[in-house]
Amino acid sequence: MKRIILFVMASLSVLVATAQYLKIEYAGDALPKKEQQLVEQMMVYQIKFYRLFGLKDSLKVKLTVFNERSVAEFYLDTIGLSKKIPVKNIGGLYSAKRKEAVIMEMDKNRKRGLSVIYHELSHYLTREITGINPPVWLMEGLSEYFEHCEVGKKGIRHSMTAYEKGRIRSMYMLGEVNLRNFVDADWSLFMKKQRTDERYAYILAHALTTFMLENVSRQLLSDFITLLQDKTDRAKVSEKIARVYPGGFEAFETDFEKFCE
């Protein structure tokens, strides 16, 4: 009976417009006003970035937050997502079909929960500019980038953790990085590397996206996104990078490795 009562309480929602471009439908357990303001500040920041690549107006996404994992898992059962997506040990997920981000256990760590919200909402915006199936490393890399942003009094600041920086350096020292294969990988290969190699995939995607956002011109990045938006172009992602990056993919590999040193 307790679970049913909690689910009914979690069904309430409110719609809030953010920066006139995005409407967030809040559902589930209520976020305190301060946390809601942080989410909306981050979304304004993200929207400014995604607008550079053709993000359309009048967007709408649903954000469903649960304080307790058991209630979140029950909700995912009721909408049929738990049968399609492994939900154990994840902090949140995004359903492209429903345009809904679900956060699993906000009460476990409020600060961490906010980072998961930033991550999952980035999935929505990335799909909006690239189409239904963007390269997995770019989708997860952008989400990791915004997950690692913090809203402060002086604005929003991104950082990579000391562990991530050390892990990237060790990857190169051990000869583990095959960048061409990585950017061309599909979802199954990406997740296989993630599960078996100490978070290899997410860390490498985060580093690669950080390199592209902070060390590559926005025009070059825009040209790359434009190629991804062309659904008639069947070239591999590495080939598309080679077309826009000065010196081709080999120069891209060299510059990224120097960035990681």
Side-chain angles (χ1 to χ4, degrees):
M1 179 62 70
K2 180 180 178 182
R3 175 173 288 197
I4 295 174
I5 293 172
L6 286 170
F7 176 70
V8 172
M9 290 174 63
S11 68
L12 301 175
S13 64
V14 61
L15 196 65
V16 176
T18 300
Q20 81 184 56
Y21 280 93
L22 173 66
K23 290 182 178 179
I24 302 175
E25 180 185 352
Y26 290 92
D29 295 314
L31 284 176
K33 188 66 175 179
K34 184 177 180 180
E35 292 181 350
Q36 186 173 311
Q37 288 173 343
L38 291 173
V39 170
E40 289 163 14
Q41 281 181 260
M42 179 59 72
M43 293 313 294
V44 170
Y45 181 73
Q46 287 198 34
I47 287 167
K48 287 180 180 178
F49 169 77
Y50 283 98
R51 281 180 60 197
L52 298 173
F53 312 105
L55 186 68
K56 63 183 180 181
D57 298 351
S58 303
L59 300 165
K60 181 180 175 181
V61 67
K62 186 174 182 179
L63 174 59
T64 305
V65 176
F66 292 100
N67 290 331
E68 297 180 26
R69 174 173 286 273
S70 61
V71 185
E73 291 179 351
F74 176 68
Y75 173 72
L76 293 175
D77 282 343
T78 66
I79 61 176
L81 279 182
S82 59
K83 297 178 181 179
K84 301 177 182 178
I85 304 172
V87 298
K88 297 296 182 183
N89 303 316
I90 64 170
L93 58 88
Y94 174 72
S95 167
K97 183 178 180 179
R98 295 173 59 88
K99 292 193 175 183
E100 178 180 9
V102 179
I103 311 306
M104 301 295 290
E105 48 186 341
M106 195 74 186
D107 268 354
K108 186 174 182 180
N109 184 325
R110 304 300 296 190
K111 184 176 180 180
R112 172 61 183 156
L114 283 170
S115 295
V116 175
I117 290 174
Y118 305 156
H119 180 112
E120 300 303 336
L121 290 179
S122 177
H123 283 325
Y124 166 69
L125 295 173
T126 300
R127 287 181 179 275
E128 287 296 312
I129 65 166
T130 62
I132 192 65
N133 288 313
V136 61
W137 67 268
L138 180 65
M139 184 170 67
E140 294 300 339
L142 284 169
S143 290
E144 286 289 300
Y145 185 91
F146 290 112
E147 175 182 325
H148 286 75
C149 287
E150 188 170 352
V151 182
K153 293 180 179 179
K154 296 183 178 180
I156 295 174
R157 183 176 63 88
H158 167 263
S159 62
M160 293 187 67
T161 66
Y163 173 77
E164 288 176 309
K165 292 176 181 177
R167 180 73 180 96
I168 286 288
R169 286 194 290 269
S170 69
M171 286 179 194
Y172 273 104
M173 288 175 60
L174 297 172
E176 295 177 336
V177 178
N178 184 323
L179 203 58
R180 189 181 297 273
N181 286 351
F182 182 73
V183 299
D184 289 336
D186 60 13
W187 178 257
S188 61
L189 181 57
F190 182 93
M191 291 310 299
K192 181 180 179 181
K193 295 295 288 184
Q194 173 69 7
R195 289 191 298 269
T196 59
D197 292 349
E198 298 181 46
R199 298 193 69 241
Y200 171 102
Y202 275 80
I203 291 175
L204 186 53
H206 184 195
L208 188 55
T209 305
T210 300
F211 168 70
M212 296 189 76
L213 267 60
E214 299 182 358
N215 292 267
V216 172
S217 74
R218 285 296 160 87
Q219 183 58 56
L220 189 152
L221 184 55
S222 180
D223 292 343
F224 174 59
I225 297 294
T226 298
L227 291 178
L228 295 179
Q229 292 168 338
D230 182 1
K231 301 309 177 186
T232 66
D233 188 344
R234 301 298 182 183
K236 292 182 177 180
V237 175
S238 60
E239 294 170 357
K240 294 180 180 181
I241 292 174
R243 288 187 212 166
V244 300
Y245 200 85
F249 195 82
E250 290 75 14
F252 178 77
E253 287 181 297
T254 299
D255 291 346
F256 177 63
E257 184 172 357
K258 289 179 181 176
F259 169 77
C260 293
E261 290 177 351

